[in-house]
Amino acid sequence: MILCPNCQHHEMAGALFCSDCGAQLVFSESLSTQAIYRSQSDTVLGSTSKQTNIPMPPAAAIDAIVSLHLLESGQILPLIGRNEFTIGRVAEGQPILPDVDLSTFEAYAQGVSRLHAVLKIKMEGIFITDLGSSNGTRVNGQKIPANQDFALNHGDIISLGKIKIQLLIRH
């Protein structure tokens, strides 16, 4: 028997999700949430105009094909280890966590859903899909339809609620 960590319901061995509350029962070390932390040295960009200098990911992220540049803080998050990354925020009691957690950036107040969007790295290109979020996803100011892949290019600005992220693609 497996004991659900969320509601303490007993499940049969081999169950992946709790039949009572839906919480995930099997966890893999390779699937972890990447927390993004603000530091005191972060600077806020004062300009709202389109940025002409697109930053390069840090040298430590040389293996990353795709990185996310958080425009407000200036932080760059390399996406490494898989081909799909969910982006959102963590909430108490949430059974499924996003791969990229924007909680430390006041994501709730900024209108980011728990599972807001998914970024997909495919042979044909990089795509984003809005997961039916409350406040929608925009690419370069254009609202994209929910549950449909939308092609992205290097330098595109992705808006999840009010949080703006620039996509960086290593060529």
Side-chain angles (χ1 to χ4, degrees):
M1 297 293 282
I2 298 175
L3 185 64
C4 174
N6 190 47
C7 71
Q8 309 306 315
H9 181 75
H10 291 277
E11 290 292 332
M12 297 297 293
L16 300 177
F17 297 94
C18 176
S19 62
D20 196 39
C21 72
Q24 186 174 355
L25 301 175
V26 178
F27 298 93
S28 171
E29 290 181 22
S30 65
L31 299 176
S32 62
T33 296
Q34 296 179 18
I36 306 169
Y37 299 99
R38 289 184 182 225
S39 68
Q40 293 199 355
S41 64
D42 289 341
T43 58
V44 177
L45 300 177
S47 172
T48 58
S49 63
K50 186 165 181 170
Q51 191 173 1
T52 56
N53 294 332
I54 298 174
M56 291 305 297
I62 198 71
D63 292 336
I65 295 171
V66 176
S67 296
L68 302 177
H69 175 217
L70 292 129
L71 293 179
E72 183 179 323
S73 71
Q75 282 186 280
I76 296 176
L77 175 67
L79 301 180
I80 303 171
R82 61 184 90 150
N83 294 325
E84 287 192 13
F85 297 87
T86 54
I87 305 170
R89 63 177 170 81
V90 173
E92 189 175 329
Q94 180 178 344
I96 300 173
L97 303 176
D99 299 316
V100 179
D101 178 18
L102 300 174
S103 298
T104 58
F105 293 93
E106 301 171 5
Y108 176 77
Q110 297 289 335
V112 177
S113 294
R114 289 178 223 162
L115 292 176
H116 196 106
V118 62
L119 196 74
K120 301 173 186 177
I121 304 169
K122 300 180 179 182
M123 292 299 292
E124 310 85 54
I126 312 299
F127 299 87
I128 192 162
T129 304
D130 181 85
L131 297 174
S133 64
S134 297
N135 294 304
T137 300
R138 296 181 180 274
V139 175
N140 299 325
Q142 173 189 351
K143 187 170 184 174
I144 65 170
N147 303 308
Q148 293 181 20
D149 286 352
F150 188 88
L152 297 171
N153 297 301
H154 178 69
D156 281 351
I157 304 295
I158 302 164
S159 300
L160 306 176
K162 294 180 182 176
I163 292 182
K164 294 189 185 312
I165 302 169
Q166 185 176 41
L167 182 74
L168 306 177
I169 303 172
R170 180 175 54 95
H171 295 286

